[in-house]
Amino acid sequence: MNLYELTIHEARRLLDAGEVSAEELTEAVLARILEVDNDVQAYITLMPEEALEQARAIDAGGGSGAPLRGIPLAVKDVLCTAGVPTTCGSRILENFIPPYDATVVARLRAAGAIIIGKTNTDEFAMGSSTENSAFFPTHNPWDLSRVPGGSSGGSAAAVAAGECLGALGTDTGGSVRQPAALCGVVGLKPTYGRVSRYGLVAFASSLDQVGVLTKDVTDAAIVLGVIAGHDPMDSTSVDAPVPDYTAALTGDIRGMRVGVPKEYFIEGMQPEVEEAVRAAVDQLADLGAEVVEVSLPHTDYALPVYYLIAPAEASANLARYDGVRYGLRVQGTDLEETYKATRGRGFGPEVKRRIMLGTYALSAGYYDAYYLKAQKVRTLIKQDFDRAFEQVDVIVAPTTPTTAFRLGEKVDDPLQMYLSDVFTLSMNLAGICGLSLPCGFDRQGLPIGMQVIGPAFGEETVLRVAYAYEQATEWHKRRCGL
Ligand code: GLN
């Protein structure tokens, strides 16, 4: 087996036993990047020298006992890294070098992780295919003519191709879970408030959450344990103890109640996705879970509600890119012309579309009809989940309506693109947690993802169910043919 194919927990064992050094592991991952990243294009920035230097320091005895000691990880390029460019996949931040690490990055480093590079993303995390990156699209390692999903497509592709052992992504409406599903890896979006967002460049502040992408459920539990927890620098992070998530991985789900929402099997979805998820539900029943049909009646409103709230918040958050304070400046004849020229050149078409939608939804005369109304319906969506979780421990549903689509297929049709997140948006609106894991392959050999959804701070329950399923199946062991 190649070292780059290891999971985090497998590498942990080899590193601790002294059978592999952190330098060897880092070199294997860097060599793998050289081998495949011309095709996959998962990374915007690589940090090979820093990574090797850190690996040597660890081999010399640094960071002993730290949970991620010597593990090469990647970070989505919307998370600040001190002294290393943080572009958000945008021209407007192409030359932005943050003076500090995001809290999650600092926590990875403190846990001994080696940050190997910054991964590609849709511009400001707006998109579902990573094609909205201002620099280049990322390709799906299972089929290079297809998208890896998005917006954390760089992170998902890097994990799937063995270009890192795990990665951080962010999920505002599905951007960790959807690319995880399309790339055949595990993607976990924690509860709103579970993980600090200090140093995450804001997209939609009431929805954004940092998540993890890994090769299996055990690794997701390990990395979540490192990044979760209160941060005085983020007032939305919740001051609640962080459990030992790996302790939830018992393999035993007897007597647990699994809800299957009838609204999540819709017309137009790829039949193979429905078949795979239904078979997975049967498997959970075989493992001793009690399967119950549940209803989330406001599901149809999630997409319109999300596409009012997310652009509204984005339009406010993106006002700071004015050519004065950050990144790109295109000088105009006066201040207003400078704003216009900077934003006109710095932002791509999807970002401009969102700023216009959001500004409209927040404008006097329309605020009540659009933004306020959307917030009210958001409450109804959350109440659907509250009611469902009175009956069940977790909800299981498809992560996406289809497997990976072709590059270019949806770029000219934003509505079609928005639809790829229909099954993931609701959890962000409700602030709850969800995990996508592999549950099959379609006839073309493309991965299918299943979502395990839990109530707020239900990560342990979600991980427990996902782990039991994973251990009973072989899907997570398949690797792309690259
Ligand atoms: N695809 C959704 C959007 O474009 C979700 C993005 C995300 O979760 N960052 O808004």
Side-chain angles (χ1 to χ4, degrees):
M1 191 192 215
N2 295 305
L3 291 180
Y4 64 77
E5 288 180 288
L6 294 172
T7 62
I8 294 171
H9 57 96
E10 287 165 349
R12 168 87 285 117
R13 233 182 356 258
L14 295 178
L15 285 162
D16 288 349
E19 286 173 40
V20 171
S21 69
E23 187 174 359
E24 283 169 326
L25 183 59
T26 305
E27 266 173 354
V29 170
L30 289 170
R32 176 65 173 168
I33 293 172
L34 274 183
E35 183 190 347
V36 299
D37 207 53
N38 267 340
D39 293 327
V40 178
Q41 297 193 278
Y43 285 95
I44 294 178
T45 303
L46 280 169
M47 301 142 72
E49 287 88 25
E50 296 95 311
L52 284 170
E53 206 174 295
Q54 232 181 310
R56 286 185 207 112
I58 281 166
D59 288 333
S64 74
L68 296 174
R69 197 181 60 86
I71 304 289
L73 299 180
V75 172
K76 184 179 181 179
D77 209 18
V78 293
L79 288 159
C80 286
T81 38
V84 177
T86 298
T87 69
C88 297
S90 181
R91 293 276 171 220
I92 214 158
L93 287 178
E94 197 170 1
N95 300 314
F96 173 57
I97 300 183
Y100 66 102
D101 275 336
T103 296
V104 287
V105 173
R107 286 188 180 171
L108 290 184
R109 289 194 200 280
I114 294 170
I115 313 288
I116 208 135
K118 307 292 297 286
T119 54
N120 199 15
T121 169
D122 286 299
E123 188 172 359
F124 287 101
M126 296 173 188
S128 310
S129 69
T130 317
E131 292 166 295
N132 292 337
S133 165
F135 307 120
F136 44 80
T138 297
H139 298 247
N140 191 312
W142 293 87
D143 176 346
L144 295 168
S145 71
R146 292 176 188 270
V147 302
S151 59
S152 312
S155 287
V159 174
E163 298 182 72
C164 60
L165 269 62
L168 295 186
T170 58
D171 193 313
T172 301
S175 281
V176 162
R177 291 160 289 155
Q178 186 259 15
L182 270 42
C183 289
V185 299
V186 170
L188 168 63
K189 181 204 99 70
T191 305
Y192 188 80
R194 181 70 289 191
V195 176
S196 167
R197 304 176 304 168
Y198 178 69
L200 161 63
V201 178
F203 162 13
S205 305
S206 77
L207 301 158
D208 296 340
Q209 182 59 202
V210 180
V212 305
L213 293 122
T214 53
K215 291 173 186 163
D216 68 10
V217 175
T218 304
D219 283 1
I222 293 169
V223 181
L224 178 64
V226 169
I227 62 169
H230 181 240
D231 174 12
M233 300 300 279
D234 175 0
S235 61
T236 65
S237 75
V238 171
D239 196 357
V242 178
D244 174 3
Y245 291 112
T246 59
L249 312 178
T250 59
D252 183 6
I253 56 165
R254 279 171 301 176
M256 288 182 79
R257 294 157 308 163
V258 171
V260 181
K262 56 174 185 246
E263 293 84 1
Y264 279 63
F265 297 88
I266 54 174
E267 216 175 297
M269 70 190 284
Q270 192 176 327
E272 291 151 298
V273 173
E274 169 155 5
E275 283 157 29
V277 175
R278 294 219 185 265
V281 169
D282 290 344
Q283 179 96 44
L284 292 172
D286 288 345
L287 291 168
E290 184 195 333
V291 175
V292 191
E293 189 183 84
V294 293
S295 177
L296 301 165
H298 296 92
T299 297
D300 275 354
Y301 300 105
L303 196 113
V305 164
Y306 175 88
Y307 279 100
L308 285 166
I309 293 174
E313 294 182 5
S315 71
N317 276 325
L318 269 55
R320 74 192 68 177
Y321 306 105
D322 56 5
V324 177
R325 286 172 289 193
Y326 294 90
L328 181 76
R329 173 183 302 183
V330 183
Q331 198 72 47
T333 45
D334 57 25
L335 186 61
E336 195 167 328
E337 288 307 315
T338 299
Y339 290 160
K340 280 192 200 155
T342 301
R343 290 166 71 83
R345 192 167 324 153
F347 289 137
E350 183 61 26
V351 174
K352 289 178 182 164
R353 185 151 43 234
R354 306 265 179 131
I355 292 172
M356 286 189 286
L357 282 170
T359 307
Y360 182 78
L362 290 177
S363 57
Y366 293 105
Y367 178 93
D368 289 357
Y370 293 113
Y371 185 73
L372 193 64
K373 190 75 161 195
Q375 289 290 20
K376 289 179 177 170
V377 181
R378 178 182 191 170
T379 302
L380 297 175
I381 291 169
K382 181 185 174 294
Q383 287 170 350
D384 282 356
F385 284 105
D386 291 346
R387 265 190 289 274
F389 285 122
E390 281 167 16
Q391 292 174 57
V392 296
D393 299 300
V394 292
I395 294 171
V396 167
T399 309
T400 56
T402 69
T403 55
F405 44 93
R406 287 193 189 283
L407 282 147
E409 195 178 317
K410 300 188 184 184
V411 271
D412 298 323
D413 190 346
L415 278 181
Q416 274 305 313
M417 191 69 92
Y418 295 172
L419 274 168
S420 35
D421 293 299
V422 278
F423 297 147
T424 50
L425 301 166
S426 298
M427 297 85 217
N428 301 73
L429 291 167
I432 59 179
C433 60
L435 176 150
S436 177
L437 81 165
C439 73
F441 288 82
D442 71 6
R443 263 174 233 77
Q444 305 187 71
L446 299 168
I448 299 172
M450 155 172 90
Q451 233 185 144
V452 183
I453 301 151
F457 300 97
E459 283 83 359
E460 287 172 284
T461 316
V462 163
L463 288 162
R464 182 170 157 195
V465 173
Y467 180 78
Y469 173 79
E470 181 187 78
Q471 292 310 298
T473 55
E474 298 283 315
W475 310 117
H476 64 292
K477 293 191 181 147
R478 265 200 227 177
R479 297 281 180 261
C480 72
L482 268 190

